[in-house]
């Protein structure tokens, strides 16, 4: 609504509904940011929250545009020559607020991450299409350079790569191109032999099959595969974080002396602890396997003359490595 109906470059020149809405939005977002900042127990941790940093940038830009610039223009008077182009570009930064939607739509974030991961494959495919476009444009130009026909000259002699890109790769007007080449001998009064037009049709068809049918469909397959892999990794990451939270709670309970290390005796209690068994069964892990596979950690302590203990994080990593549902690897 603002972009379509508000031609004013500054808020002072805008109609009152736009002024009211801009001030309300600015006050609302500023209050929201302040509440979120106060929610941090350690205030410096706000710098570790990337969404908070991003939202802070958006709010600061909004405050600068809505309040700071308005006060400056009001103080300097109406005779000030304002560069409206720069101010309109500043207002375009509001569109970056749409990025906030990614937080409430993880599927969008998965698609964007998939596009980022697939960027190298996409770039390679586009480079291949450009190379094919260049080579075939030269081949077709050699076939058609001496033909004095308006349609041929307009399509191929000069803008050959453009014609191949639009009508071949993107299939914008493929039928017109085929008809133009098929009737070349008729339109020229049979000056040019019929097989010349059909030879060009064959070359153009080969280009179409290589770029539109082969490379573009390969690109779609690559994107689908990459997005599926990114989605699987994201889901696995969320699952691992969930499992770690449960495991840390379990390890805290079996750590009787509270020194953040698990002794051999404390680990042996896993077999009898009902809560520990329940957590491990959800991960498809047997308590006996945990004891067996951590034995080498205790042996290292014996060799070094230390007390036989492992840290909670070491034990957590061992359990995560042997959880059920993982794909089999050489390791």
């Amino acid at each position: 609504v603002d972009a379509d109906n508000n031609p004013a470059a500054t808020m002072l020149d805008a109609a009152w509904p736009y002024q009211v809405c801009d001030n309300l939005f600015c006050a609302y977002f500023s209050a929201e940011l302040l509440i979120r900042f106060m929610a941090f127990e350690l205030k410096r941790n706000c710098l570790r929250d990337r969404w908070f940093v991003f939202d802070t940038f958006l709010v600061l830009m909004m405050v600068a545009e809505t309040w700071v610039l308005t006060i400056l223009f009001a103080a300097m008077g109406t005779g000030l020559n304002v560069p409206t182009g720069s101010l309109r570009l500043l207002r375009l930064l509001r569109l970056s607020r749409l990025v906030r939607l990614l937080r409430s739509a993880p599927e969008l974030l998965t698609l964007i991450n998939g596009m980022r991961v697939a960027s190298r494959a996409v770039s390679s495919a586009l480079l291949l299409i450009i190379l094919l476009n260049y080579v075939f444009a030269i081949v077709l130009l050699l076939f058609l350079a001496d033909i004095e026909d308006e349609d041929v000259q307009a399509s191929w002699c000069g803008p050959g790569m453009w014609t191949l890109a639009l009508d071949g790769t993107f299939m914008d007007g493929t039928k017109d191109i085929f008809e133009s080449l098929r009737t070349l001998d008729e339109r020229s009064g049979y000056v040019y032999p019929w097989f010349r037009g059909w030879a060009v049709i064959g070359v153009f068809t080969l280009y179409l099959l290589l770029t539109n049918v082969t490379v573009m469909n390969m690109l779609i397959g690559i994107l689908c595969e990459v997005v599926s892999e990114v989605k699987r990794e994201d889901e696995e990451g969320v699952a691992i974080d969930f499992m770690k939270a449960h495991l840390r709670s379990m390890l805290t309970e079996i750590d009787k002396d509270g020194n953040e290390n698990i002794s051999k005796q404390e680990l042996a209690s896993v077999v009898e602890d009902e809560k520990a068994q329940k957590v491990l069964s959800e991960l498809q892990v047997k308590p006996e396997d945990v004891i067996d596979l951590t034995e080498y950690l205790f042996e290292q302590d014996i060799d070094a003359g230390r007390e036989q203990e492992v840290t909670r994080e070491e034990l957590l990593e061992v359990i995560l490595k042997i959880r059920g549902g993982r794909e089999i690897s050489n390791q």
Side-chain angles (χ1 to χ4, degrees):
V1 171
D2 184 271
D4 285 338
N5 304 305
N6 182 17
T10 65
M11 187 181 294
L12 293 174
D13 301 328
W16 70 265
Y18 300 107
Q19 295 185 17
V20 170
C21 286
D22 278 357
N23 281 286
L24 284 176
F25 279 123
C26 191
Y28 178 85
F29 287 132
S30 299
E32 181 212 18
L33 190 73
L34 179 62
I35 292 169
R36 287 168 59 190
F37 176 74
M38 297 304 294
F40 284 100
E41 185 176 3
L42 295 175
K43 305 306 178 188
R44 64 176 179 271
N45 286 342
C46 68
L47 299 176
R48 300 178 181 177
D49 187 338
R50 288 180 294 178
W51 281 117
F52 183 85
V53 173
F54 176 73
D55 289 343
T56 302
F57 169 75
L58 291 182
V59 171
L60 289 177
M61 295 301 298
M62 192 174 190
V63 169
E65 177 197 350
T66 307
W67 292 336
V68 177
L69 288 179
T70 302
I71 294 172
L72 286 176
F73 291 148
M76 293 179 180
T78 56
L80 184 66
N81 186 17
V82 180
T84 57
S86 302
L87 292 176
R88 289 189 178 278
L89 288 175
L90 184 64
R91 293 170 73 87
L92 285 177
L93 289 174
R94 297 180 177 191
L95 295 176
S96 55
R97 297 177 202 160
L98 295 174
V99 179
R100 291 164 58 105
L101 291 174
L102 296 178
R103 283 184 294 186
S104 55
E107 292 81 6
L108 281 176
L109 193 58
T110 299
L111 287 174
I112 292 174
N113 285 334
M115 292 168 64
R116 176 181 56 81
V117 174
S119 59
R120 184 174 179 180
V122 172
S123 301
S124 300
L126 293 179
L127 179 61
L128 179 58
I129 290 175
I130 292 172
L131 291 175
L132 289 170
N133 187 299
Y134 178 71
V135 170
F136 275 83
I138 292 176
V139 171
L140 290 171
L141 182 61
L142 293 177
F143 270 99
L144 302 170
D146 61 333
I147 293 181
E148 297 178 359
D149 182 84
E150 291 184 2
D151 291 344
V152 171
Q153 291 288 329
S155 299
W156 301 106
C157 298
M161 292 181 68
W162 180 257
T163 302
L164 283 174
L166 291 182
D167 299 329
T169 306
F170 301 121
M171 298 186 70
D172 180 53
T174 309
K175 180 178 181 295
D176 296 333
I177 293 293
F178 279 126
E179 284 297 317
S180 173
L181 295 172
R182 187 182 65 82
T183 59
L184 176 62
D185 55 344
E186 299 175 9
R187 287 185 288 106
S188 65
Y190 298 97
V191 173
Y192 306 108
W194 63 270
F195 60 81
R196 192 165 184 177
W198 283 99
V200 176
I201 289 177
V203 174
F204 184 75
T205 302
L206 178 61
Y207 172 82
L208 192 150
L209 291 173
L210 286 174
T211 57
N212 182 275
V213 177
T214 305
V215 178
M216 296 296 280
N217 282 292
M218 283 174 58
L219 187 57
I220 293 173
I222 291 170
L223 285 172
C224 291
E225 184 178 356
V226 168
V227 170
S228 299
E229 183 65 22
V230 169
K231 185 174 185 294
R232 187 190 65 79
E233 291 178 358
D234 289 346
E235 289 177 346
E236 185 177 357
V238 172
I240 288 176
D241 290 339
F242 181 76
M243 287 185 280
K244 282 184 176 180
H246 279 267
L247 287 173
R248 286 195 177 99
S249 174
M250 180 198 79
L251 295 176
T252 301
E253 290 197 6
I254 66 174
D255 183 15
K256 303 300 182 182
D257 54 11
N259 64 348
E260 298 190 358
N261 292 322
I262 306 297
S263 66
K264 200 169 185 179
Q265 291 74 22
E266 289 173 335
L267 184 61
S269 65
V270 170
V271 180
E272 301 174 357
D273 192 300
E274 291 185 4
K275 183 176 180 180
Q277 288 185 5
K278 184 178 179 181
V279 172
L280 292 176
S281 65
E282 290 177 356
L283 300 178
Q284 301 177 32
V285 173
K286 296 180 180 179
E288 297 81 5
D289 293 341
V290 176
I291 296 174
D292 291 341
L293 291 171
T294 52
E295 186 65 33
Y296 76 97
L297 295 175
F298 294 116
E299 291 176 354
Q300 292 175 359
D301 291 333
I302 295 174
D303 296 338
R306 297 190 301 263
E307 186 177 354
Q308 297 184 51
E309 289 184 330
V310 295
T311 65
R312 293 181 190 173
E313 293 301 316
E314 285 178 328
L315 187 56
L316 186 145
E317 291 300 325
V318 169
I319 296 173
L320 287 177
K321 282 181 180 179
I322 63 172
R323 72 183 187 276
R326 291 189 70 200
E327 293 182 359
I328 297 175
S329 63
N330 289 334
Q331 184 182 7

